[in-house]
Amino acid sequence: MNVLVTNIQQLVNVRRESSLLRGKELAELPVINHAYLSIKDGLIFDYGEMKDVPRSEGFENIDANGATVMPCWCDSHTHLVFAASREEEFVDKLKGLSYADIAAKGGGILNSARKLNDTSEAILFDQAWQRLQELMKLGTGAIEIKSGYGLSVAGELKMLRVIKRIKEKSPIPVKATFLGAHAFPLEFNEDHQGYIDQIIHEMLPAIAADQLADYIDVFCEKGFFNKEETETICCAGIKSGLKVKIHANQLSLSGGVQVGLKLGALSVDHLETMDEEAIHLLAKSNTIGTLLPTAAYFLRMSFQPARALIDAGCAIALASDFNPGSSPSGNMNTVVSMSCIQMKLLPEEAINAASINAAHAMELEKEVGSITVGKRANLIFTKSIPSIAFLPYAFGSNLIDKVMINGSFI
Ligand code: NIG
Ligand code: FE
């Protein structure tokens, strides 16, 4: 269906080029006031000022009625497939236990892994599919999904098959990440090499054979995978054709950023715990620093040093980290708002980081992340808002009126 959207108050993030934004560039958010936008075969066809609106035969007219229109959010870091929520651990934490205490009790990731291994592929798919529908209504128009709650050959492959099915059926682009190295299963606690061998010699070949993943990820952290183990696993992933993403510097200065940079990672994610050196090295690299503020919020940790990262010239993205343990929300509107309120991102910086830069963090910058001719018409139509800064400012309101995916409202 071909559509002409008229009377757009502001058309946001209009770009001819889709380059990755770093440092000061993040604050530039190109906007057309009082605009029109036309869509052909689900793709952005043309746009401009209302005064230049073309005569358009064969296009259905939609009056935006003063809505602001922007590209859908791109969520480049999620754990969307999981078998069960973990609110009982949330309550334990309210009573005083730490994330590490809970992990040590066999809770946390291992708790999710037990439940996932006991849940059928069909049920996992249905649950994740429901979550995806909810996120799309919240404005997410492209998503990355990780494995990492299987922690066994059968469990990891099952998760990745579920992600592959989501990818095939989803109207929005999906990228799959293999995170077998999310935690050591209990039986390998004293035999790290045993589990690493399973990852390298059993999981990766099966993943490559069935093209089950685009990326490899490792949780590089004290008590999880150290930097040598991280490097070994990522190198094996690279040999299997996967690019690297790393859970880096969440709880400690794990060295994850440095390993990621050494291996040319597409992104290093989390970054709650950064020092001058890690910031400086990241700024000089082509690797994207993906910040996950809702995870810091949920775990009551210090937020990522976003200002220092931007001021140093880093390319940053924002993502939800949606998972049952540290960020049980995939709401990118909350992520954007929290980034402004707690990390002092400017609204323009937060919107860019959650759209075009997050698209880069999934290598989807040619398809989504900006209003650009030829990209998918995955669009957020807002309720009437006085300015773009109102979005992060009015943090408690649902300001999305409608979401369009591939040119159709959902
Ligand atoms: O990204 N940090 C490691 N992994 C997840 C949390 C996983 C969990 O607790 O289930 C994260 O925050
Ligand atoms: Fe994560």
Side-chain angles (χ1 to χ4, degrees), residues 77-79 146 179 182 217 247 270 292 321-323 326:
H77 182 137
T78 82
H79 307 250
K146 299 177 196 295
L179 177 61
H182 198 187
D217 193 342
H247 276 73
H270 268 291
L292 312 169
D321 197 18
F322 190 9
N323 77 78
S326 65

Side-chain angles (χ1 to χ4, degrees), residues 283-299:
K284 284 200 327 200
S285 77
N286 291 322
T287 296
I288 299 167
T290 299
L291 314 183
L292 312 169
T294 49
Y297 170 70
F298 192 78
L299 300 180

Side-chain angles (χ1 to χ4, degrees), residues 14-56:
V14 179
R15 296 177 183 279
R16 264 182 223 278
E17 302 285 330
S18 293
S19 347
L20 179 66
L21 307 174
R22 53 174 63 249
K24 286 192 173 66
E25 293 164 351
L26 276 151
E28 287 160 29
L29 183 67
V31 162
I32 299 179
N33 291 315
H34 205 45
Y36 76 88
L37 171 76
S38 66
I39 296 160
K40 200 170 175 185
D41 302 327
L43 303 178
I44 296 171
F45 180 65
D46 182 28
Y47 56 78
E49 291 184 42
M50 262 317 275
K51 67 176 174 50
D52 302 323
V53 70
R55 235 189 267 242
S56 45

Side-chain angles (χ1 to χ4, degrees), residues 167-352:
K167 205 186 224 194
E168 287 163 357
K169 198 176 160 193
S170 165
I172 67 170
V174 174
K175 289 285 177 136
T177 300
F178 170 51
L179 177 61
H182 198 187
F184 284 99
L186 275 183
E187 62 273 29
F188 287 101
N189 235 348
E190 303 304 320
D191 176 21
H192 282 192
Q193 194 55 45
Y195 185 57
I196 294 170
D197 284 343
Q198 263 195 12
I199 291 176
I200 296 177
H201 301 299
E202 297 183 55
M203 297 182 196
L204 276 172
I207 290 165
D210 289 341
Q211 298 194 337
L212 291 175
D214 302 292
Y215 306 119
I216 184 156
D217 193 342
V218 175
F219 186 18
C220 183
E221 189 55 67
K222 242 187 237 155
F224 294 84
F225 293 80
N226 65 32
K227 51 181 202 283
E228 291 76 24
E229 292 165 341
T230 300
E231 184 169 345
T232 303
I233 294 163
C234 288
C235 285
I238 293 171
K239 282 202 189 104
S240 296
L242 307 178
K243 286 196 184 159
V244 173
K245 282 176 167 281
I246 294 185
H247 276 73
N249 295 41
Q250 180 185 14
L251 310 171
S252 66
L253 282 173
S254 62
V257 169
Q258 282 85 342
V259 177
L261 299 186
K262 181 172 172 192
L263 301 178
L266 179 59
S267 69
V268 287
D269 301 25
H270 268 291
L271 313 186
E272 283 87 334
T273 316
M274 293 288 274
D275 59 4
E276 285 293 326
E277 187 203 341
I279 293 174
H280 176 72
L281 293 172
L282 183 61
K284 284 200 327 200
S285 77
N286 291 322
T287 296
I288 299 167
T290 299
L291 314 183
L292 312 169
T294 49
Y297 170 70
F298 192 78
L299 300 180
R300 288 188 202 83
M301 293 185 58
S302 298
F303 284 86
Q304 291 82 3
R307 281 267 50 99
L309 289 161
I310 292 176
D311 295 345
C314 293
I316 62 152
L318 290 169
S320 75
D321 197 18
F322 190 9
N323 77 78
S326 65
S327 180
S329 161
N331 188 337
M332 285 297 290
N333 306 284
T334 308
V335 170
V336 167
S337 193
M338 197 175 285
S339 301
C340 297
I341 297 167
Q342 294 286 356
M343 306 196 294
K344 299 195 176 158
L345 258 62
L346 297 171
E348 294 82 0
E349 291 172 327
I351 290 170
N352 277 327

